[in-house]
Amino acid sequence: MGKLQDKVAVITGGASGIGAATARLFVSEGAKVVLVDLNEEKGQAFEQELKALKADALFFKANITSEQEVAEIFKKTVEVFGKVDIVFNNAGIGRVHPSHELEYAEWRNTVNVDLDGVFLVAREAIREMLKIGGGTIVNTASMYGWVGSPGSAAYNAAKGGVVNLTRSLALEYAEKNIRVNALCPGFIDTPIIPEESKQALSSATPMKRLGQADEMAKAVLFLASDDSSYMTGNSLIVDGGYTAQ
Ligand SMILES: NC(=O)c1ccc[n+]([C@@H]2O[C@H](COP(=O)([O-])OP(=O)(O)OC[C@H]3O[C@@H](n4cnc5c(N)ncnc54)[C@H](O)[C@@H]3O)[C@@H](O)[C@H]2O)c1
């Protein structure tokens, strides 16, 4: 029996990178997965790939910054699968800009997706989990929720916000059997990292390589499953040693 047998997991940013790797691992552990992403083409193709493996998978195109669309995701998930046990709150964006050239609209957009969107998804998740007496939420922050870096002020501020949002929600719902933790990846080889940056980011990492999406998925499985049953409000840094420097 898998670690997530018969659990229903909503995964945002589920069409690509860390979200997709986590969906693959979750279905191999017996979960039913709902993939949420803006990228319809990739999302639908991935849904088909998982269904071909006889997995219960559904793709919904939705924008996590829309209150209405987020509510719709959870409504449809409950209609189809009956409940929500796990939410991997992972969709995000990141661009590099010198701060003195950063347009306010760009700042707002980054914080809107990377912090406001995480709140909207967590809020809806908690509403459903309260109905069934518990659940687990894993928010994707970043090692840049813990340390700074030049050129990513909006992203880093939002990810720092996710780390403390995680603690706050964990405390608020600890007695309701809802655990809330965060994953803080280092540099991971996904489409969010520009090809031309990969060499420099590998060199800046003590382990001298980028992390792989499936290495993140294993950490998410730990946080989402009973393997971490006494953990809440935690941020698990998985970064090849970067923040130990
Ligand atoms: N790759 C890294 O080095 C790294 C490091 C630290 C944190 N992260 C975080 O990991 C998470 C996943 O990123 P990834 O590396 O897998 O990148 P990715 O680009 O492969 O995946 C992100 C997915 O999120 C989706 N998305 C973006 N905005 C959305 C929105 N508003 N609504 C719905 N879907 C949306 C994208 O379409 C994409 O499929 C992000 O939150 C990112 O900030 C990544």
Side-chain angles (χ1 to χ4, degrees):
M1 199 159 108
K3 287 185 175 176
L4 303 181
Q5 205 60 45
D6 300 324
K7 300 283 186 194
V8 178
V10 174
I11 300 176
T12 70
S16 179
I18 297 169
T22 300
R24 271 196 199 93
L25 184 59
F26 276 17
V27 299
S28 78
E29 292 289 345
K32 300 169 185 180
V33 293
V34 173
L35 312 164
V36 178
D37 209 289
L38 273 181
N39 190 324
E40 193 163 20
E41 203 184 320
K42 264 176 124 172
Q44 278 175 350
F46 189 43
E47 180 196 78
Q48 291 314 314
E49 184 190 322
L50 292 179
K51 280 184 167 162
L53 301 170
K54 306 253 179 292
D56 281 309
L58 268 187
F59 169 70
F60 291 133
K61 180 178 187 237
N63 189 332
I64 60 158
T65 66
S66 158
E67 262 192 286
Q68 197 194 329
E69 290 181 26
V70 170
E72 197 62 20
I73 296 164
F74 283 85
K75 187 165 166 262
K76 283 188 186 158
T77 301
V78 173
E79 270 169 28
V80 177
F81 290 131
K83 58 176 182 166
V84 178
D85 300 291
I86 296 167
V87 170
F88 183 32
N89 198 355
N90 162 75
I93 54 170
R95 290 189 197 93
V96 176
H97 279 294
S99 293
H100 65 284
E101 290 171 3
L102 182 64
E103 299 287 344
Y104 181 52
E106 175 69 17
W107 164 279
R108 282 282 345 131
N109 186 43
T110 302
V111 175
N112 194 25
V113 177
D114 290 346
L115 182 57
D116 301 6
V118 170
F119 166 70
L120 291 176
V121 171
R123 184 182 66 174
E124 219 57 48
I126 290 164
R127 287 174 177 170
E128 288 306 325
M129 289 171 181
L130 285 172
K131 292 179 196 165
I132 60 166
T136 55
I137 299 174
V138 181
N139 297 323
T140 302
S142 167
M143 65 180 178
Y144 285 148
W146 287 89
V147 296
S149 64
S152 297
Y155 181 85
N156 297 354
K159 294 297 188 179
V162 172
V163 167
N164 213 25
L165 173 67
T166 299
R167 294 189 191 105
S168 302
L169 294 177
L171 294 176
E172 200 170 339
Y173 295 98
E175 288 184 45
K176 298 288 183 192
N177 197 31
I178 299 173
R179 295 190 300 109
V180 189
N181 290 290
L183 173 76
C184 296
F187 302 124
I188 312 305
D189 194 358
T190 72
I192 214 172
I193 301 252
E195 207 53 51
E196 61 276 16
S197 308
K198 288 185 178 173
Q199 190 52 51
L201 299 179
S202 298
S203 302
T205 303
M207 289 178 73
K208 299 300 171 207
R209 66 173 179 85
L210 300 180
Q212 296 301 311
D214 58 6
E215 294 178 294
M216 299 303 104
K218 289 177 197 164
V220 181
L221 174 62
F222 171 68
L223 293 174
S225 69
D226 284 346
D227 282 354
S228 61
S229 52
Y230 198 52
M231 276 175 75
T232 198
N234 206 291
S235 287
L236 188 58
I237 302 176
V238 190
D239 68 352
Y242 187 93
T243 52
Q245 295 176 107

